[in-house]
Amino acid sequence: MKLPPEVTIYEVGPRDGLQNEARNVPTADKIRFIDALVASGIRAIEITSFVSPKWIPQLADAAEVARGVARPVGVRMSALVPNRRGLDTALASGMKEIAVFLSASETHNKKNINKTIAETFDAFSEVIPPALAANVPVRAYVSTVYGCPYEGEVDPDKAVELTTRLRDMGVYEISLGDTIGVANPAQVEDVLGRVLAKHPAKSVAVHFHDTQGTALANCLVALQMGITTIDAAAGGLGGCPYAPGASGNLATEDVVAMLHAMGVKTGIDLDKLTEASRTASTFVGHELPSKYLKAHLGKQSRARRRTEQMGQ
Ligand code: HMG
Ligand code: MG
């Protein structure tokens, strides 16, 4: 099977994961979660969003999180930024990388950031050039490339058009988002094939939500097409509050376990990562959807029971 020797996991749990939680997670827990993810070997992580707290109250403590995290050398930390105000706060809070975002469908874009796609590019022109001038690399997301919760089907060439415009503006990587988790492997081959005909694989990442259980299959197709950056959230946390029906992201431990089993390196310690997810599940107050995490916790509790029985 044609696979890359190594893959970069771009961890979005602290941002895409926690933005969708009903419970207000204390800043100190968010920081502990980020520290635990970094300790597991994750080297690229989106820690928060500098968006309007009226729209995403869960991440209203973005500046405190950004100021509170340790920043070990060799770990890239990024945050979502929707406008110039978000950029200014992000830079003042010590962020050294940012991510901008828009959707391939007008209706989701409007519901998510209250702008048309054209207006979003106006906002980008106030964010991307000053960020690059400050030596801050910019990543971008194109959401809903495989389907929109409001419009249904999305023209696959929209992903190509938006990727081209974003790369022309100096964005270093575009993450193609299956925001509501409707993509199937054949569709991934189609959309990615179109994008990769125009752009190098190293400038493209994949971002799958696992609503229908197709995220790992979609990743496998992407890997075979040369993609080497995969977005994922520890425990499978997450979803976009402005995309009804969007459930958790692809779980980091699920994709890391699959990659390691196939001999693909990630630099991540799976046990430490699973422990970070277990901690996250305690502070969000519910079970997380990751299959690997469930299997691991099940194994631990069976081993505990066996030890207790032997001691009786
Ligand atoms: P708006 O209401 O049109 O704009 O929101 P506004 O300028 O009138 O701002 C509203 C209020 O927010 C004002 O406060 C602003 O000052 C304030 P007020 O005057 O009413 O007191 N405000 C801000 N505060 C802090 N930081 C800022 C900021 N900007 C304005 N940066 C806006 C427009 C874009 C701000 C809003 O729609 C917004 O913040 N949207 C964010 C939505 C979001 O974060 N969605 C989830 C992330 S996207 C996603 O999850 C998909 C992804 O994972 C990929 C995938 O899965 O496909 C990336
Ligand atoms: Mg997402």
Side-chain angles (χ1 to χ4, degrees):
M1 187 179 277
K2 182 184 159 243
L3 291 169
E6 209 167 320
V7 158
T8 298
I9 296 294
Y10 185 92
E11 171 64 41
V12 295
R15 191 280 302 171
D16 201 344
L18 299 184
Q19 75 183 11
N20 206 33
E21 285 299 323
R23 184 187 276 193
N24 181 31
V25 176
T27 307
D29 283 340
K30 292 176 180 171
I31 293 173
R32 259 197 297 278
F33 181 37
I34 294 164
D35 288 346
L37 290 166
V38 170
S40 80
I42 280 173
R43 291 293 169 263
I45 179 163
E46 203 162 81
I47 61 169
T48 188
S49 289
F50 290 87
V51 296
S52 167
K54 293 201 167 135
W55 286 65
I56 306 281
Q58 294 90 336
L59 303 182
D61 59 355
E64 288 79 11
V65 170
R67 288 204 196 95
V69 288
R71 293 175 184 270
V73 178
V75 179
R76 289 159 41 210
M77 292 195 172
S78 185
L80 278 195
V81 161
N83 52 21
R84 180 64 204 241
R85 177 166 168 190
L87 174 68
D88 291 343
T89 321
L91 296 183
S93 311
M95 294 308 301
K96 303 274 186 272
E97 178 170 336
I98 60 155
V100 296
F101 56 109
L102 88 168
S103 310
S105 54
E106 283 289 354
T107 316
H108 182 257
N109 203 64
K110 187 81 183 163
K111 298 267 189 195
N112 196 36
I113 47 177
N114 203 22
K115 289 180 179 62
T116 62
I117 291 174
E119 288 163 351
T120 308
F121 274 97
D122 293 341
F124 287 171
S125 64
E126 294 175 3
V127 170
I128 298 174
L132 296 178
N135 282 325
V136 167
V138 183
R139 185 182 211 241
Y141 289 94
V142 180
S143 292
T144 66
V145 296
Y146 302 101
C148 170
Y150 304 100
E151 294 176 20
E153 274 180 35
V154 173
D155 176 1
D157 282 327
K158 203 71 192 166
V160 185
E161 178 203 321
L162 296 173
T163 299
T164 305
R165 289 185 70 182
L166 287 160
R167 284 197 74 219
D168 286 349
M169 293 182 86
V171 163
Y172 81 88
E173 180 174 87
I174 288 94
S175 176
L176 298 175
D178 182 20
T179 318
I180 52 169
V182 290
N184 65 67
Q187 201 186 2
V188 172
E189 186 178 53
D190 176 33
V191 172
L192 269 186
R194 292 171 197 241
V195 172
L196 296 178
K198 298 253 162 61
H199 302 285
K202 68 174 172 38
S203 65
V204 179
V206 288
H207 180 109
F208 296 114
H209 285 250
D210 205 20
T211 320
Q212 299 181 158
T214 50
L216 278 181
N218 292 337
C219 277
L220 190 57
V221 170
L223 289 166
Q224 290 182 302
M225 295 178 79
I227 296 295
T228 55
T229 300
I230 296 176
D231 296 1
L237 281 161
C240 174
Y242 298 99
S247 65
N249 286 269
L250 166 64
T252 314
E253 51 272 56
D254 290 357
V255 67
V256 168
M258 180 180 87
L259 290 168
H260 288 185
M262 296 192 301
V264 179
K265 292 195 175 77
T266 65
I268 294 169
D269 179 319
L270 198 46
D271 287 340
K272 288 186 183 165
L273 172 65
T274 310
E275 191 48 33
S277 299
R278 198 192 56 74
T279 311
S281 108
T282 58
F283 68 62
V284 297
H286 60 83
E287 212 178 276
L288 297 180
S290 159
K291 301 252 188 328
Y292 186 88
L293 177 63
K294 282 194 177 117
H296 179 82
L297 294 177
K299 226 189 294 177
Q300 274 185 342
S301 74
R302 281 194 299 279
R304 238 189 338 267
R305 268 201 308 276
R306 263 200 309 274
T307 314
E308 280 162 12
Q309 280 161 1
M310 275 157 59
Q312 279 166 5

